Amino acid sequence: MNRDPFKEYIKQSEPDRRSRGYAWHTAIGLQAVDGLKPSKYLIDTAIQNIEGNITIEEAQKIIDSYYEAKPRAFDEDRTEEADKVSARIAGLLAEKAFSFSSNEYIGIHRKLFQGIYNHAGKIRDYNITKKEWVLDGATVLYGSASELRATLEYDLELEKNFSYKGLSMDDIIRHLAVFISRLWQIHIFGEGNTRATAVFFIKYLRNLGFDATNDIFAENAWYFRNSLVRANYNNLKEGIYETTEYLETFLRNLLLDEQNELSNRKLHIYVKSANQKPDIRRQNPDIDGQNPDIEASKATIDLPEQFQMILESFSKRTISHVQKLYENYGSQTVFGRSDVVELLGIQKSSSSELLKKMLQSGIIVKVSGYGKGKYRFTGI
């Protein structure tokens, strides 16, 4: 979405609209952690609920009926998942009931992904790894499949018995950062861990007396996930240590209404060879003069932030090509190889290579119904 239709709702003084606007804004924003983008139909339905024309239950039924009526096709960009999960998150955030327990946590996952994942609400029985952009392709060490339930219950029991009495707000935020990073690191489900954890955490924060009804989760969901990754990654040989500092910064904005910069680039680790220390200059490409190629390219890019992060590993020529394509086709227009050849004035082979690189990087997705070899920007 280029224009945020929910901004005004969460700023309004009318409590019900503000509450509903926050719930939908957060629900839709959280889809970005898995690179998903809800449809315009979902957004229009959400606004109907915010305005009070329909209930949240009616909104969920409308979305379900919408997809039941549509011809079944391979949903390459997972829009159906984004729409249904957004509506379900909005419903859960509208509920006041909450139980701080493993059953609640698992139940949230089941409610969010029932009918979408076969493993909705089920603890995974296999080990996983995930390549992370923020770790330069490395992975966090997630919980062992044989110990997941026991680890989850142990962490929740520790938190349940923890006393916040007498702690400063700095200490409270630091403790919350450690708690949520450990809970997420278990990664008890096969997919959907970050979204389920975020919903559980928001409801827990309310249980602790925090309002947290601002736009921080909605607008910085990708930063939230990356900060969880950084809180659980060590590479001592490279001089890289797990840290909750980024997560604490996120929580300070969420809970204290501070305006700290939440820059994904500052979280990004560049791992060099095993015999070299990491290049600190490249860990923070925002530092003036430390990385002229990236700085020069950043100055000319007008693209969504997640695109810019991906493009940092591309040549300046490729970045220029992507920018020109985005300016002409945006996030909604379908285009193909011939369009790329005509617009950029490059050979067919170069056009195919560019499209392949963009597709593999997640910048574009294939679309059906327009003929063979058609794409559009993901609009993340």
Side-chain angles (χ1 to χ4, degrees), residues 160-216:
K160 186 181 294 185
N161 294 329
F162 182 81
S163 174
Y164 287 89
K165 186 176 181 180
L167 293 184
S168 67
M169 188 55 65
D170 286 346
D171 289 337
I172 289 172
I173 286 175
R174 188 171 300 111
H175 176 81
L176 286 170
V178 171
F179 162 67
I180 198 59
S181 66
R182 287 177 177 171
L183 181 64
W184 177 85
Q185 184 270 336
I186 302 171
H187 245 59
I188 194 171
F189 311 108
E191 295 288 346
N193 287 277
T194 304
R195 283 174 283 176
T197 301
V199 173
F200 182 84
F201 189 43
I202 291 170
K203 292 174 78 71
Y204 179 48
L205 290 173
R206 289 179 180 174
N207 190 60
L208 293 177
F210 292 106
D211 181 26
T213 54
N214 50 35
D215 58 8
I216 306 303

Side-chain angles (χ1 to χ4, degrees), residues 96-364:
K96 302 300 181 185
F98 175 72
S99 172
F100 188 80
S101 67
S102 58
N103 286 338
E104 177 85 6
Y105 185 55
I106 294 169
I108 286 173
H109 188 272
R110 183 178 60 256
K111 291 174 183 177
L112 294 185
F113 301 109
Q114 190 77 45
I116 297 172
Y117 297 156
N118 291 331
H119 61 270
K122 297 179 181 177
I123 298 175
R124 62 179 166 87
D125 56 2
Y126 53 91
N127 291 325
I128 59 173
T129 60
K130 293 184 178 182
K131 291 183 178 180
E132 301 286 353
W133 167 85
V134 73
L135 302 180
D136 214 21
T139 182
V140 167
L141 294 179
Y142 297 109
S144 172
S146 62
E147 302 293 335
L148 293 177
R149 182 78 188 222
T151 305
L152 173 64
E153 293 184 348
Y154 175 77
D155 281 2
L156 292 181
E157 189 65 24
L158 280 181
E159 178 64 16
K160 186 181 294 185
N161 294 329
F162 182 81
S163 174
Y164 287 89
K165 186 176 181 180
L167 293 184
S168 67
M169 188 55 65
D170 286 346
D171 289 337
I172 289 172
I173 286 175
R174 188 171 300 111
H175 176 81
L176 286 170
V178 171
F179 162 67
I180 198 59
S181 66
R182 287 177 177 171
L183 181 64
W184 177 85
Q185 184 270 336
I186 302 171
H187 245 59
I188 194 171
F189 311 108
E191 295 288 346
N193 287 277
T194 304
R195 283 174 283 176
T197 301
V199 173
F200 182 84
F201 189 43
I202 291 170
K203 292 174 78 71
Y204 179 48
L205 290 173
R206 289 179 180 174
N207 190 60
L208 293 177
F210 292 106
D211 181 26
T213 54
N214 50 35
D215 58 8
I216 306 303
F217 264 106
E219 297 187 353
N220 299 280
W222 186 243
Y223 181 96
F224 174 65
R225 189 187 190 286
N226 285 336
S227 66
L228 288 168
V229 172
R230 285 298 311 273
N232 288 285
Y233 180 73
N234 282 301
N235 188 331
L236 304 189
K237 195 172 184 180
E238 297 284 355
I240 300 168
Y241 308 93
E242 63 183 36
T243 176
T244 60
E245 63 175 301
Y246 305 109
L247 195 51
E248 289 174 40
T249 300
F250 177 89
L251 291 176
R252 296 190 74 86
N253 285 12
L254 177 70
L255 304 179
L256 303 181
D257 291 323
E258 293 186 1
Q259 300 297 317
N260 301 296
E261 181 186 11
L262 303 180
S263 170
N264 283 285
R265 287 188 188 83
K266 291 183 178 179
L267 280 73
H268 192 184
I269 294 170
Y270 291 88
V271 180
K272 297 176 75 68
S273 71
N275 297 320
Q276 291 178 292
K277 293 181 180 180
D279 189 343
I280 301 302
R281 295 175 303 169
R282 287 183 58 81
Q283 287 189 36
N284 187 353
D286 293 329
I287 297 176
D288 292 339
Q290 296 299 322
N291 199 324
D293 286 343
I294 291 179
E295 289 301 313
S297 64
K298 277 170 55 184
T300 62
I301 299 174
D302 184 18
L303 294 168
E305 184 178 22
Q306 193 167 345
F307 287 174
Q308 295 188 38
M309 293 185 290
I310 295 169
L311 289 170
E312 285 181 356
S313 62
F314 288 9
S315 68
K316 286 193 286 185
R317 179 179 175 82
T318 300
I319 292 172
S320 176
H321 285 336
V322 173
Q323 181 181 11
K324 194 168 183 179
L325 287 169
Y326 188 80
E327 288 172 352
N328 281 267
Y329 298 112
S331 60
Q332 299 299 322
T333 306
V334 173
F335 61 95
R337 187 180 70 170
S338 60
D339 300 307
V340 176
V341 170
E342 182 178 352
L343 179 65
L344 302 179
I346 59 178
Q347 299 294 321
K348 290 182 179 180
S349 58
S350 298
S351 172
S352 296
E353 187 63 30
L354 175 62
L355 288 168
K356 180 181 178 182
K357 181 177 289 189
M358 293 170 67
L359 187 64
Q360 291 175 340
S361 301
I363 295 174
I364 59 174

Side-chain angles (χ1 to χ4, degrees), residues 21-39:
Y22 157 76
W24 279 106
H25 194 38
T26 299
I28 290 171
L30 280 173
Q31 305 315 306
V33 301
D34 283 317
L36 307 185
K37 180 183 178 183
S39 68

Side-chain angles (χ1 to χ4, degrees), residues 70-76 80 368:
K70 287 187 69 175
R72 279 289 174 184
F74 179 63
D75 189 10
E76 197 159 343
E80 180 178 355
S368 58

